[in-house]
């Protein structure tokens, strides 16, 4: 399958990695994989988001890091009372200061885990019951914000965002009968930290999507 790529421009986002240009390009890379055994049979965005052709008719694999073959990851999950992995993949996580870090995202029936890919140290665990909604743009980019009112929010970028959203929505529906809200807007606010509010703005430009971060906390002071 030929790759369909869209350029994503990000204003005001520093990086803690040495391969920032590569990571930035990944934010507009094609979605999905032809490997796996779970087929996407519905649109979690209800037709409200621009999607790539590769993302519309692909197969969901779920675990892209092979968690069960990694004893350290399995031990970490078992310590938290979790075993069943719905989804696992490397993603880009945005820190409170706005820097990007590559992390492992793991979704189980009960929680979202953010794990250091080098040390397998648990960086954050978010109970699915604490998630209020998901925020995404209406354009063809790879950003997802997980809104957690009792803590602070999680902003990440993944080329498999459709799969992430689908597993989160379906997991919460099956375990708690709760319909997870998915908001689509070309600008939305999120708590980058408990005391830092930012707005992310999306604009469609020739050949891709331009993304801008605005510190709303600084404006309020």
């Amino acid at each position: 399958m030929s790759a369909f790529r869209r350029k994503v421009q990000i204003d005001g986002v520093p990086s803690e990695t040495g391969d920032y240009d590569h990571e930035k390009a990944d934010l507009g890379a094609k979605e999905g994989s032809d490997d796996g055994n779970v087929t996407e049979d519905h649109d979690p965005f209800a037709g409200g988001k621009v999607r790539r052709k590769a993302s519309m008719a692909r197969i969901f694999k779920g675990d892209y890091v092979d968690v069960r073959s990694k004893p350290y990851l399995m031990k970490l999950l078992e310590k938290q009372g979790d075993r069943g992995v719905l989804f696992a993949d490397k993603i880009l996580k945005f820190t409170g200061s706005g820097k990007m870090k590559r992390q492992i995202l793991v979704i189980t029936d009960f929680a979202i885990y953010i794990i250091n890919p080098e040390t397998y140290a648990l960086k954050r665990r978010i109970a699915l019951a604490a998630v209020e909604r998901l925020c995404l743009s209406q354009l063809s980019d790879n950003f997802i914000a997980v809104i957690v009112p009792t803590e602070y929010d999680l902003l990440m970028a993944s080329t498999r965002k459709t799969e992430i959203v689908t597993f989160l929505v379906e997991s919460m529906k099956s375990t708690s009968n709760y319909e997870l809200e998915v908001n689509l807007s070309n600008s939305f606010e999120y708590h980058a930290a408990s005391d830092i509010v930012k707005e992310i703005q999306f604009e469609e430009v020739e050949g891709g999507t331009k993304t801008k971060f605005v510190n709303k906390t600084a404006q309020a002071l």
Side-chain angles (χ1 to χ4, degrees), residues 162-173:
T162 303
E163 193 166 349
I164 292 171
V165 171
T166 299
F167 275 119
L168 286 173
V169 169
E170 293 302 317
S171 179
M172 294 189 69
K173 186 185 297 184

Side-chain angles (χ1 to χ4, degrees), residues 35-111:
D35 300 323
N37 53 16
V38 181
T39 306
E40 176 188 9
D41 58 1
H42 72 286
D43 181 0
F45 310 117
K49 184 173 178 66
V50 175
R51 298 177 62 192
R52 306 176 185 92
K53 291 182 180 179
S55 143
M56 296 289 287
R58 76 182 193 282
I59 296 173
F60 286 171
K61 179 179 178 179
D63 184 358
Y64 296 91
V65 298
D66 196 8
V67 172
R68 292 190 179 279
S69 71
K70 297 175 171 57
Y72 290 108
L73 284 180
M74 288 302 298
K75 185 176 181 180
L76 184 153
L77 294 176
E78 289 172 0
K79 187 177 180 180
Q80 298 292 329
D82 263 328
R83 291 181 64 90
V85 175
L86 301 177
F87 178 88
D89 195 17
K90 290 183 178 179
I91 51 109
L92 289 177
K93 172 187 170 294
F94 288 78
T95 67
S97 62
K99 295 179 180 180
M100 294 188 298
K101 283 187 174 182
R102 185 173 284 279
Q103 304 281 5
I104 294 175
L105 169 72
V106 176
I107 301 173
T108 71
D109 287 332
F110 303 104

Side-chain angles (χ1 to χ4, degrees), residues 11-12 40 54 76 86 104 112 118 122 129 157 219:
D11 293 345
E40 176 188 9
L76 184 153
L86 301 177
I104 294 175
I112 298 169
E118 297 178 358
L122 177 62
Q219 291 182 353

